[in-house]
Amino acid sequence: MNRLRLDKPLVPAFLDRLRGDYRVIGPRLVGEGDIVYEEIPPGATVAWNFTNSLLPPKALFFPRVEELFTLDYGDPRGPTLVPAAPERPLAVFGMRSCDATGLLFLERFFGERGFDDPTVTSRVRDSLRMTLACTVPGPDCFCVCCDAGPFLTAGFDLQFVDLGERLLVEVGSERGLTVARRAGDLLVDAGPEELRELDELAAQVDGRFQRRSYLSRGTKLLSLDRLPAEAWESWGAECQGCGGCCFVCPTCSCFTVRDIPLPKNAAGCSGQGQYSVRRERIWDACLYEGFTREASGHNPREQAGDRLKRRFFHKLSLQCSEIMGRHGCVGCGRCVQTCMGALDISTLMERTDAYD
Amino acid sequence: MCARFHNLRSTAGQPLEYIPTTCPYCSCGCGLLVHHDGEHLLSAHPSSIHPVARGGLCVRGWNCVGATAASDRLCACLTGRGADRQVAPWWKAVEKISNALTSAPRGEILFVLGASLALEDALAAVRLAEFLDATVAASLPSGVPPAREALRAVLGRSYGAASPEVLREADVLWVFGADLHMYPQLASRVSQAARAGAEVVAFDVVSAGAAATSIRHVTVPPNNLRVVPLLLESAAFLADRFPPAVTQAPGFARLAALWRRGRGPVLPDHPWLPDDQAAGLVERVLQAERPAAVVGERWLTAGNAAEQTKELLQCLALLGFADRICFAAGDANSWGVADLLEDHAEEAEHLAAFLGGCTSFSVVVLVEEDILRRTPRPAAVEARLREAHTVVLLDRFQTATLPWATVALPTLAFGELDGTLTSAFGLVQHWRAIVRPPPAARPVRVWLSRIGRRVGMETGPSLGTGQDWFRRVTLAAPAYAGLERQASRLVLGRVAQEQGGMTFTEPATRLADAAPPAPGRSGRFPLQLMLSGQAASWSTGSLSDREDLLAREAVHTVVRLAAEDLAGIGGAPGRTALIRVVTPHAEAFAVPKVEPGMPPGVVLLAARPGDGARALQGFYPDPPALGVQPVPARLELP
């Protein structure tokens, strides 16, 4: 039961069968053509002909703003920690291969380095990841250079391949197998025709990538610190400091925390004490000036070029790859699209040519 | 009275729905998608298909949800001032306003409109002002009126280029007084053009400082008002090479004759741009296929801006830039509000006179305009407001002007308001109502309709939906004729522009008498100080409060300068944390930042003529000087 077939018109019914156990999320078209990952209403279908969403599904697992806990000072014996409300696990349909790879990176960042932050890791580990392999890569995509697609061999529960009116379904985990069994008659064994089409697609798709990324050269130059300060200064001057590259990157995890004082009787507080505090975690960006500013006011990375250097070192250096098990780029191409200064990974690696 | 209304909320576990809407900040009008839970705005990210945003937003856009989840919302109707201030039922507040309006002597009422008002709300204010025979003007400090005036006079239309993409595609790009830090969408396209091989020329220190490394050929005169006559003179030798569209335009022959007669060594003291270099610049533009230009606030807010801009546009039109001129100017709806105030353009002088202390009004109605935050002379404005019998404030926030209001009405903020706006590119776009406003808040148009009814104005069958009001906009402003407001569309269309031809007239400014010479260097003040934009430099992603945003727009942080000037006072990059900037009128502390594009002798203090000006009191004695005129200064170690 490793390779199955699902007819596209049956996808809403397939997703409906997951609703008992999961919140079902999938790609949807909003406005005049933007793709976002939204909750799929019962019976509704998903978007098919898209490259990718600008905001990665990372936002589902590592939300932009997240309540970590509330400290309730209502008890005279001392403050009580009120954990955030439990959530239903997510079933994400149509996630691209690069994003699924990015989730593995996030899971390792938050959970496999001597500590475990269950807010993120439990969402990732409890989720049902149904990826949609890319058969037509977008103009900014280069996952093929990053060991992150267009087809996955691991890191998914179910991998779907669009064959027109049919989807070929590959099972990648025990959870995926359970779901496939529960889907019953909706999923049938793939025939030789589908398997042949899959092989043909897999052979063709690599050649359809328009963008290349010189990651190896960049990794060498970054790891050996061979890019001169003037280069970073020059590139830093082009950085608009928007933080967009960090926000759209499937592997970026910069965050900050803050404590919000709550009035009495606020949700989650007994209301007896003087005050209560909600601790929130929100996305931050290492390209923002204050990200590394110290309490004294000193900022070791005050210049944009220094911040840029740090970002790329964390993304691509061998030192960081050794810690994280891989480099921090999955080739989704989102930074190519969102960066206003041509300082995305792909373009910057090209620009390192002058220093090699 | 004005409790914390809402704040950022956790996005974890929330229903996932995204609504397309438009960024509320600058005149670029980037399209973005807002995630909400029905009660709160949760996050925002750029639209990848919006013609301006194209998947990118500046830091303000990315954080606009946090910045508008403000702790200082105005959540109740207020009457009285100072110790007499109290929360009042809306009908009492409205009655007080209508009584004041009806009892005010003729000509004694002033309406001041903000530049971020929705078109529908702006129209409601204009209609009420017209009914009351009041003076109505918009607070447009960013130079949009002179830009429009010059565009009309030279090119016969009201808007510049239809898309910022013309900058990216340019092979020669000239930048005039454009503080590109404040308009990252334009800055990024300028950078892209430079990387693609375009010759980018900045004609002033502000533009150069904003994009130093992406500019190949930087010309940094201390006073850029002298550039235009110089270029015109240089172009005189090339008059026979201008395209037919130019040479056949009305006035060209007379202008060309004038140049030929006037040619001579009339600008002897311009070492920053010798004649042969100026001629070279012109020559290369005439050879270019896609010359493009950016004209920014620094130029447009200079003294005599309308005339200067007209001459600049004449120069650019002659050289073939006509269809590729972008304006880095304005708040979110500055251009749209200017469309609606077309018939009231002359009344802007009354506002200027009021702010300058030359005239007073009995009733002042401030419609989403925080006039005290924008003015560089708050004491004078406070005096004007104190003198007025009634000051009505319609606003979303407890602004700096609120203490002077005698009646205040709460209005809707970004994400609550359903309305439309017009970007600097003439795109008419939608602001969508996504979440519920505070219970007492109403759209401006609703408040003004209620007031209008009480003063006897016929407001139509109802207070009006957004659809009704937009239809009225299309009837009131010719530029909007034929546009339809479709709820599903973010971009409703482009304003219609008359396709007027080019017209050239004799320049009012002539060469040697073009502009006063730059301030001489004296022993006490050897440097020339100019204001520049503060790059939106967010401290962390934890923005949650409008106050954070305002603080970051303030100006005390950075002074950009050349390494030589820092060394001249014994400082060193990375080791000198703070320096004192001293002018004959004021002083401030700033963090020195050495920039490669800065010429020795010129320093840039981060500021903005509008929002940050209050913190720069004393640096500039007169508002018109906020633009491009340098001020003598010196630096000291604290």
Side-chain angles (χ1 to χ4, degrees):
Chain A
M1 200 176 177
N2 272 340
R3 289 187 170 176
L4 305 162
R5 193 189 79 203
L6 174 65
D7 291 337
K8 262 190 190 168
L10 298 178
V11 167
F14 171 75
L15 296 179
D16 284 346
R17 292 192 186 181
L18 302 174
R19 292 182 196 282
D21 299 325
Y22 299 98
R23 288 177 68 198
V24 179
I25 310 288
R28 302 264 288 170
L29 201 65
V30 299
E32 284 146 280
D34 280 299
I35 290 288
V36 294
Y37 282 86
E38 276 187 349
E39 205 128 7
I40 306 295
T45 189
V46 298
W48 289 111
N49 298 317
F50 68 98
T51 300
N52 211 345
S53 62
L54 184 65
L55 198 67
K58 163 182 95 170
L60 302 165
F61 300 88
F62 170 44
R64 181 89 181 261
V65 183
E66 176 172 20
E67 177 187 336
L68 297 176
F69 56 81
T70 299
L71 272 178
D72 184 359
Y73 287 81
D75 190 335
R77 289 170 298 179
T80 313
L81 192 146
V82 184
E87 300 162 22
R88 294 180 68 205
L90 300 169
V92 186
F93 179 84
M95 189 192 304
R96 291 300 190 188
S97 304
C98 50
D99 293 331
T101 309
L103 274 188
L104 295 179
F105 190 93
L106 274 189
E107 185 188 1
R108 178 164 172 80
F109 178 86
F110 282 103
E112 296 177 15
R113 296 188 300 141
F115 60 87
D116 188 69
D117 180 343
T119 55
V120 175
T121 55
S122 63
R123 284 192 198 107
V124 177
R125 290 167 189 161
D126 296 345
S127 66
L128 177 67
R129 280 165 273 175
M130 296 176 282
T131 60
L132 183 61
C134 291
T135 53
V136 184
D140 298 329
C141 295
F142 55 97
C143 65
V144 70
C145 308
C146 298
D147 189 25
F151 291 78
L152 289 179
T153 53
F156 61 87
D157 297 308
L158 295 172
Q159 176 169 244
F160 294 77
V161 182
D162 192 341
L163 302 177
E165 285 306 301
R166 299 149 296 150
L167 296 165
L168 188 110
V169 188
E170 289 184 272
V171 178
S173 70
E174 279 299 317
R175 181 175 292 142
L177 189 61
T178 307
V179 166
R181 284 187 176 134
R182 273 204 219 156
D185 56 347
L186 297 178
L187 290 171
V188 296
D189 284 337
E193 179 69 9
E194 282 93 25
L195 296 178
R196 187 184 57 76
E197 281 186 57
L198 174 67
D199 290 341
E200 284 177 10
L201 268 176
Q204 291 167 6
V205 72
D206 277 9
R208 292 180 182 160
F209 281 85
Q210 300 168 33
R211 184 173 282 268
R212 293 287 180 267
S213 180
Y214 303 94
L215 289 182
S216 297
R217 184 177 63 212
T219 296
K220 178 183 74 180
L221 295 173
L222 286 160
S223 305
L224 300 176
D225 198 17
R226 285 196 187 158
L227 291 167
E230 304 81 62
W232 291 112
E233 190 179 318
S234 158
W235 295 330
E238 294 179 32
C239 177
Q240 302 291 333
C242 67
C245 53
C246 302
F247 297 153
V248 301
C249 178
T251 67
C252 272
S253 51
C254 295
F255 65 82
T256 187
V257 293
R258 59 178 184 173
D259 292 338
I260 308 288
L262 299 176
K264 285 182 183 179
N265 302 320
C269 302
S270 66
Q272 301 300 312
Q274 302 242 320
Y275 59 91
S276 295
V277 168
R278 183 176 70 222
R279 174 160 295 178
E280 291 181 345
R281 174 173 60 199
I282 52 180
W283 286 4
D284 205 338
C286 56
L287 292 174
Y288 285 168
E289 189 185 358
F291 185 73
T292 51
R293 189 190 301 133
E294 296 163 5
S296 66
H298 171 67
N299 190 347
R301 277 172 279 276
E302 193 176 42
Q303 303 298 321
D306 295 335
R307 299 194 286 274
L308 202 63
K309 179 179 179 180
R310 180 178 189 268
R311 170 177 162 75
F312 277 88
F313 185 82
H314 277 206
K315 280 284 167 208
L316 296 177
S317 72
L318 290 170
Q319 293 90 328
C320 290
S321 300
E322 189 178 358
I323 296 168
M324 295 304 300
R326 61 161 292 142
H327 61 69
C329 179
V330 293
C332 66
R334 288 185 175 95
C335 55
V336 181
Q337 188 174 4
T338 206
C339 180
M340 297 195 282
L343 299 167
D344 58 89
I345 285 185
S346 172
T347 309
L348 196 106
M349 289 304 100
E350 283 180 38
R351 296 171 79 178
T352 60
D353 184 36
Y355 303 98
D356 193 13
Chain B
M1 177 174 79
C2 302
R4 191 179 190 92
F5 171 62
H6 62 187
N7 206 312
L8 288 183
R9 288 291 186 272
S10 169
T11 53
Q14 299 290 359
L16 276 170
E17 191 185 16
Y18 291 87
I19 303 287
T21 187
T22 305
C23 177
Y25 289 112
C26 77
S27 59
C28 287
C30 292
L32 45 81
L33 302 170
V34 171
H35 177 200
H36 71 101
D37 66 359
E39 289 187 38
H40 307 98
L41 305 177
L42 300 172
S43 68
H45 71 274
S47 162
S48 52
I49 56 165
H50 185 270
V52 177
R54 290 183 177 244
L57 282 179
C58 76
V59 66
R60 291 170 296 181
W62 273 105
N63 292 285
C64 69
V65 168
T68 52
S71 61
D72 62 345
R73 282 300 297 274
L74 182 58
C75 295
C77 300
L78 306 174
T79 57
R81 188 189 274 170
D84 297 333
R85 172 154 293 169
Q86 57 184 346
V87 174
W90 71 263
W91 60 89
K92 279 196 177 172
V94 166
E95 192 172 285
K96 188 169 178 183
I97 297 167
S98 50
N99 288 343
L101 292 172
T102 48
S103 60
R106 187 181 169 84
E108 283 285 298
I109 304 171
L110 171 67
F111 277 69
V112 186
L113 312 189
S116 296
L117 274 174
L119 287 170
E120 295 83 347
D121 291 345
L123 181 65
V126 171
R127 287 287 176 265
L128 180 58
E130 287 172 343
F131 177 78
L132 295 165
D133 203 14
T135 301
V136 58
S139 177
L140 300 168
S142 53
V144 173
R148 289 166 60 91
E149 192 179 329
L151 277 163
R152 290 274 177 77
V154 181
L155 300 177
R157 53 184 194 243
S158 306
Y159 285 82
S163 163
E165 288 296 289
V166 297
L167 303 180
R168 191 175 59 81
E169 296 158 358
D171 44 9
V172 169
L173 217 164
W174 285 4
V175 188
F176 296 89
D179 202 342
L180 296 175
H181 278 311
M182 302 303 296
Y183 299 90
Q185 291 290 7
L186 303 184
S188 70
R189 269 113 172 157
V190 170
S191 290
Q192 286 174 40
R195 278 194 302 278
E199 177 186 65
V200 181
V201 186
F203 285 95
D204 61 290
V205 70
V206 173
S207 305
T213 55
S214 56
I215 295 182
R216 289 186 164 193
H217 181 124
V218 180
T219 304
V220 191
N223 180 345
N224 63 10
L225 294 184
R226 312 185 83 186
V227 168
V228 171
L230 179 64
L231 291 174
L232 286 171
E233 284 293 318
S234 305
F237 288 129
L238 305 159
D240 57 340
R241 293 175 46 191
F242 290 133
V246 169
T247 54
Q248 291 163 15
F252 175 80
R254 182 174 161 72
L255 193 61
L258 209 71
W259 292 329
R260 291 188 180 105
R261 276 205 313 275
R263 183 68 190 167
V266 286
L267 282 177
D269 58 340
H270 56 281
W272 36 270
L273 187 60
D275 277 0
D276 57 338
Q277 279 189 29
L281 289 175
V282 172
E283 178 76 46
R284 287 195 290 281
V285 167
L286 287 172
Q287 289 170 356
E289 289 183 15
R290 297 176 302 280
V294 185
V295 183
E297 287 179 2
R298 301 294 148 162
W299 184 281
L300 298 166
T301 54
N304 196 21
E307 201 56 44
Q308 297 286 354
T309 307
K310 190 178 138 193
E311 291 182 14
L312 173 62
L313 290 196
Q314 288 207 148
C315 174
L316 295 176
L318 283 166
L319 299 174
F321 287 88
D323 296 327
R324 289 179 289 272
I325 304 171
C326 290
F327 288 88
D331 289 341
N333 199 17
S334 293
W335 293 78
V337 171
D339 278 334
L340 293 178
L341 286 175
E342 196 68 56
D343 298 335
H344 299 270
E346 291 174 3
E347 293 168 38
E349 290 174 14
H350 297 292
L351 174 60
F354 171 70
L355 296 178
C358 304
T359 184
S360 61
F361 288 90
S362 171
V363 179
V364 179
V365 183
L366 300 167
V367 188
E368 294 190 349
E369 171 52 33
D370 188 2
I371 204 163
L372 272 173
R373 194 164 71 87
R374 288 184 179 277
T375 179
R377 299 198 296 183
V381 175
E382 283 172 6
R384 300 286 85 70
L385 295 176
R386 200 182 302 119
E387 286 165 12
H389 176 267
T390 304
V391 177
V392 179
L393 180 73
L394 292 90
D395 214 304
R396 314 138 188 194
F397 302 111
Q398 301 171 53
T399 65
T401 314
L402 181 64
W404 303 99
T406 52
V407 191
L409 302 173
T411 61
L412 308 192
F414 170 71
E416 300 160 357
L417 172 70
D418 180 42
T420 54
L421 70 151
T422 311
S423 75
F425 308 103
L427 286 177
V428 185
Q429 301 183 172
H430 212 146
W431 272 319
R432 286 216 168 77
I434 301 168
V435 293
R436 283 177 301 179
R442 296 288 180 275
V444 165
R445 54 184 176 264
V446 170
W447 286 127
L448 296 180
S449 296
R450 286 173 175 174
I451 295 166
R453 282 183 177 179
R454 278 169 172 72
V455 298
M457 180 185 177
E458 178 55 56
T459 57
S462 69
L463 294 177
T465 61
Q467 185 77 33
D468 295 335
W469 276 103
F470 187 73
R471 191 172 45 76
R472 293 178 206 186
V473 169
T474 61
L475 297 174
Y480 296 86
L483 288 179
E484 297 217 1
R485 189 172 184 274
Q486 296 171 270
S488 62
R489 292 187 67 81
L490 176 58
V491 180
L492 304 176
R494 196 178 298 282
V495 293
Q497 293 202 61
E498 293 172 22
Q499 292 301 317
M502 283 182 261
T503 306
F504 298 104
T505 56
E506 182 179 335
T509 313
R510 292 289 296 156
L511 305 175
D513 56 358
R521 294 182 174 204
S522 74
R524 290 187 62 213
F525 299 104
L527 303 174
Q528 297 185 44
L529 178 137
M530 298 186 73
L531 295 182
S532 105
Q534 166 73 318
S537 178
W538 255 235
S539 187
T540 71
S542 66
L543 266 190
S544 64
D545 202 295
R546 200 176 70 97
E547 286 305 316
D548 285 356
L549 181 68
L550 300 185
R552 282 168 178 77
E553 284 182 354
V555 290
H556 58 277
T557 50
V558 174
V559 62
R560 302 190 185 102
L561 73 176
E564 294 96 313
D565 289 329
L566 185 57
I569 58 167
R575 286 199 286 119
T576 305
L578 211 60
I579 56 176
R580 185 188 287 125
V581 183
V582 185
T583 75
H585 307 287
E587 64 178 54
F589 287 98
V591 176
K593 189 173 181 185
V594 170
E595 285 205 358
M598 288 298 300
V602 180
V603 293
L604 282 174
L605 189 65
R608 199 181 178 199
D611 303 332
R614 190 185 171 101
L616 271 186
Q617 286 179 59
F619 269 87
Y620 288 92
D622 194 30
L626 280 167
V628 293
Q629 301 282 4
V631 165
R634 69 168 181 265
L635 306 177
E636 297 173 353
L637 290 177

